Amino acid sequence: MTQEELFKSLIAHAKEYGFIFQSSEIYDGLSAVYDYGQLGVELKNNIKKYWWDAMVRLNENIVGLDSAIFMHPKIWEASGHVGAFNDPLIDNKDSKKRYRADVLLEDFIAKLEEKIEKDVEKGRKKFGDAFDEPQFRETNPNVLRNKKKADDVRIRMNNALNSNNLEELRQVILDCEIACPVSGSRNWTEVRQFNLMFSTQMGSVSEDASVIYLRPETAQGIFVNFLNVQKTGRMKLPFGIAQIGKAFRNEIVARQFIFRMREFEQMEMQFFVRPGEELKWFEHWKKARLRWHEAIGLGESKYRFHDHEKLAHYANAAADIEFEFPFGFKELEGIHSRTDFDLSQHQKFSGKKMQYFDPETNESYVPYVIETSIGLDRTFLAIYSSAYCEEKLENGDERVVLKLPAFLAPVKLAVLPLVKKDGLPDVARRIMDDLKIDFNCQYDEKDSIGKRYRRQDAIGTPFCITIDHQTIEDDTVTIRYRDSMQQERISAKELRGIIENKVNFRNIFSKL
Ligand code: ATP
């Protein structure tokens, strides 16, 4: 199965088992907007809890916040979003399809890179054990030609984007002879800037109504509350404010399922530090955030840092944590050293002081900020797509299993009476009633036991507990483990302890 086919299957699976639905599906859907179903919301809540507790509970100097989505429109002028939160867009005149100019070029570069990898693979097959990959990459004419082309396009694109030269951006697209994937033509419009913020009006009378934006990031709610939290919480630098909430961006090209949505959720933490100490804390948070990701257990090789060479005007250091999604390595989280830009801007635009009085130095100053900003939906996709497995079993059967980390699994255990008679359902219900106080459980008595195991595998339930006739005699049950499919006979009294030991957050937090 190709990666593309695998990605399609896991999207279909997400719908079939109630993880994710297309928004407004009965009206043919709303593009790049998704609803989380009965199991999706459980997984999402568990991820949120993992992030929130790791930030707010385990760090004495980080506190939480839940600021409103609507904010004063001046905030978005101060932050630079009204003026500069733009993407360059281009239309194909024949298909009338709209694209992000930089994405067309990035796709073009990705294709050249794919060609290089194919050539390397061919070389490997041809030369066998004698294959010297570094030498091949440095000398093979096809590889060199494609690499030079990719580098040239990347440099021209970055220069055009940095200098806001939209004509040049269009020229690069023409020079690369990029055709519209739908019409196949190269009949392109000019490149225009497109602001990504959604706007609406606030106020009951249309003349008085003022334009208001749906926030494109949660961070600004933290900045404008910086002093409220610092003073009421008696916080001393360095300290952080964490927030989970919805953000909205009118993305031009929305694709790759929940990777790029128009309504999504962010988990952001702004860490306020003394000026001059920001790069030390930037390194600290890079390491701490990577540890948080790795502790989930998806495999360390799935993550890599991408240090930004091109910095936003307000940043003096920035790195992304990228994850290997089914469509390649892509940004999952951003860690940015934002200097004093945001607080200073709000000081300027609001006319209110945004300074901190440092009791140790007896000075007042605007703190510097390190931001960690992670997409909740992208984290969901990372975990869900890594967990999705289509397995061929020894007896020839196939099963789809979600090997979700037990502490994040939506349902922790299923309670299954072997048959629907002889009092087994009553015993099963009694066990379930006790365990559901601690864990999210499912009860299932329909169909053969094999079918019920498959259903639980498909939703990632780590444990199935089967109640049979022996349970009535000696109060023992079988526990079946999802990944190994091994079964063990244990006393029903042991269940709580065994499951608790595998699903608690303590094991994970001790790795941070
Ligand atoms: P990209 O380059 O992929 O558009 P970005 O650099 O604009 O992302 P940030 O503004 O740094 O993203 O936002 C922080 C995080 O929010 C990202 O790392 C990502 O996980 C998440 N995020 C941003 N845009 C979206 C979106 N449209 N859909 C889902 N998650 C998003």
Side-chain angles (χ1 to χ4, degrees), residues 8-21 35 37 39-40 257 380 384 388 402:
K8 276 197 185 134
S9 311
L10 65 88
I11 293 172
H13 187 85
K15 180 182 171 194
E16 190 182 343
Y17 286 91
F19 282 89
I20 297 174
F21 307 123
D35 297 336
L39 294 176
F257 195 35
F380 185 111
Y384 171 81
Y388 181 88
L402 283 189

Side-chain angles (χ1 to χ4, degrees), residues 85 100 216-217 249 251 258-266 268 308 320 331-334 336 371 373-379:
F85 194 52
R100 249 172 75 175
E217 61 176 30
R249 296 183 186 178
E251 301 278 1
I258 55 170
F259 181 80
R260 191 174 297 286
M261 301 154 90
R262 298 206 164 100
E263 172 180 341
F264 58 100
E265 226 167 329
Q266 289 184 314
E268 295 196 299
H308 288 211
D320 295 336
E331 174 178 342
L332 175 60
E333 170 158 9
H336 309 123
E371 162 182 84
S373 173
I374 171 173
L376 174 55
D377 312 272
R378 282 191 195 176
T379 310

Side-chain angles (χ1 to χ4, degrees), residues 72-231:
H72 197 288
K74 269 212 163 157
I75 286 174
W76 304 111
E77 282 175 41
S79 68
H81 284 83
V82 171
F85 194 52
N86 299 321
D87 275 345
L89 68 83
I90 189 164
D91 295 276
N92 183 270
K93 289 185 195 162
D94 299 316
S95 67
K96 308 270 182 275
K97 287 272 169 205
R98 178 160 289 180
Y99 299 91
R100 249 172 75 175
D102 55 334
V103 170
L104 281 181
L105 288 168
E106 268 161 16
D107 287 351
F108 179 79
I109 293 169
K111 277 201 194 113
L112 290 173
E113 283 168 348
E114 253 170 50
K115 273 190 195 159
I116 294 174
E117 293 315 310
K118 272 195 190 140
D119 281 331
V120 171
E121 265 325 292
K122 264 195 218 156
R124 194 189 313 281
K125 278 203 187 117
K126 191 167 152 198
F127 296 111
D129 287 344
F131 185 58
D132 180 344
E133 188 177 323
Q135 195 200 353
F136 186 85
R137 284 184 189 272
E138 276 165 33
T139 53
N140 180 277
N142 284 346
V143 170
L144 289 179
R145 197 183 51 249
N146 285 327
K147 185 167 179 327
K148 177 162 180 350
K149 208 166 171 185
D151 289 345
D152 287 348
V153 174
R154 193 178 285 114
I155 290 169
R156 279 183 74 190
M157 175 181 79
N158 283 339
N159 286 344
L161 287 172
N162 285 341
S163 58
N164 204 13
N165 186 344
L166 302 182
E167 269 169 40
E168 164 67 1
L169 204 54
R170 177 169 189 267
Q171 196 54 47
V172 190
I173 291 174
L174 296 182
D175 293 349
C176 292
E177 301 186 342
I178 295 174
C180 166
V182 178
S183 68
S185 87
R186 298 185 204 136
N187 197 4
W188 297 108
T189 61
E190 299 303 304
V191 177
R192 278 169 297 147
Q193 288 290 18
F194 176 77
N195 193 289
L196 297 184
M197 280 197 295
F198 284 99
S199 62
T200 182
Q201 266 113 42
M202 190 175 247
S204 53
V205 186
S206 60
E207 299 89 77
D208 297 345
S210 55
V211 171
I212 194 146
Y213 299 100
L214 294 186
R215 66 180 177 200
E217 61 176 30
T218 59
Q220 298 303 325
I222 297 180
F223 293 128
V224 297
N225 278 298
F226 158 69
L227 277 185
N228 284 338
V229 173
Q230 190 268 317
K231 288 194 171 138

